[in-house]
Amino acid sequence: MLTGRNHAYRMSDDAPVEEQLSCEQKLSGLLRRFGLDFYLVAAFPASQATAFADSLVASNWPSGLIKAYDRSGCYKESALVRQLRDTLQPLSFSEWPFLDGRLQGNAAPIDVSGGFERTLAFAIQDQDRQRLIFAFSGRRRPLGEDEVAMLYLSCLALVDDGLGPSRPSPAEPLSGRELDCLRWSAEGKSSDEIAIILDISSHTVVSYLKNALRKLGAVNRMQAIARACRLGLI
């Protein structure tokens, strides 16, 4: 899934990097950027499967840890998976969240080396509407709100760039007002705040944003912002 080679993309004021980078290289770049140690991308486990290997997409975990965790059978009911099933918000863990807490010490022991002291995880829907889990672990202090937002947006862009063919410009162009609403959303403004800035009703703002999501093929505002940035629209 995340093995193709694509143009590198950075959610920043800098111009996009034109060199060809694999998705693993992009993920490694995010580790360096945010001072983290490990990344994991995995699909939510299918109802009939419990093997971690069946869900693994990309990871820089040590190979021995991946094999031991796969043998443990903990992934499907791990704290990470169970909590991400119920929320779209990023989750922060101060302990390794990949074990099934219900086993109460009956699972085979897994040697987790340094670098997993804290984990930030969230779920993103790909172009095929499959939910992917992104988990980043490290020893640094917890990421701030702005850092979490930038990491999330970077992963949205990675999913857009790394899955399937490159997306062309929207077949139906976005209106000036739709782009204005997206720009202010990218600045962290709510619908009510955008309504005041643009001197229109909040209902109209919501309507503009819904149209923008439809035209960009996005499932939420964050994904629409990432796609609009990648296409150079905002």
Side-chain angles (χ1 to χ4, degrees), residues 181 190-196 198-211 221:
C181 290
S190 67
S191 295
D192 289 339
E193 290 172 325
I194 297 172
I196 294 172
L198 299 180
D199 194 22
I200 56 180
S201 71
S202 58
H203 176 77
T204 302
V205 171
V206 171
S207 178
Y208 281 136
L209 288 171
K210 284 183 177 179
N211 287 339
R221 289 191 191 188

Side-chain angles (χ1 to χ4, degrees), residues 77-154:
E77 295 298 335
S78 65
L80 180 80
V81 171
R82 286 188 282 112
Q83 292 188 43
L84 284 177
R85 282 195 182 111
D86 299 326
T87 183
L88 296 176
Q89 299 299 317
L91 298 176
S92 182
F93 301 89
S94 58
E95 296 181 352
W96 205 57
F98 301 95
L99 292 179
D100 184 350
R102 303 175 310 165
L103 296 178
Q104 298 180 342
N106 293 326
I110 298 177
D111 180 18
V112 181
S113 58
F116 290 96
E117 283 80 356
R118 294 186 181 91
T119 296
L120 177 77
F122 44 78
I124 293 178
Q125 193 174 71
D126 68 14
Q127 296 171 5
D128 297 321
R129 298 191 177 277
Q130 179 184 26
R131 294 184 74 202
L132 297 175
I133 290 175
F134 285 76
F136 295 89
S137 302
R139 290 163 284 195
R140 56 154 288 176
R141 59 177 175 77
L143 272 68
E145 290 185 7
D146 290 346
E147 291 177 306
V148 172
M150 288 304 300
L151 181 57
Y152 183 80
L153 281 170
S154 296

Side-chain angles (χ1 to χ4, degrees), residues 7-17 33 150 154 157 161 229:
H7 287 296
Y9 175 80
R10 292 184 298 178
M11 292 289 297
S12 70
D13 293 333
D14 299 329
V17 179
R33 178 178 178 182
M150 288 304 300
S154 296
D161 285 348
C229 287

Side-chain angles (χ1 to χ4, degrees), residues 127 160 167 216-218 222-232:
Q127 296 171 5
D160 260 8
R167 286 180 175 270
L216 291 167
M222 295 291 281
Q223 192 172 55
I225 291 167
R227 290 183 179 176
C229 287
R230 182 170 63 85
L231 294 170

Side-chain angles (χ1 to χ4, degrees), residues 174 178-186 209 212 216 224-225 228 234:
L174 277 70
E178 290 163 355
L179 291 173
D180 285 341
C181 290
L182 277 179
R183 290 189 188 100
W184 285 113
S185 291
L209 288 171
L216 291 167
I225 291 167
I234 61 175

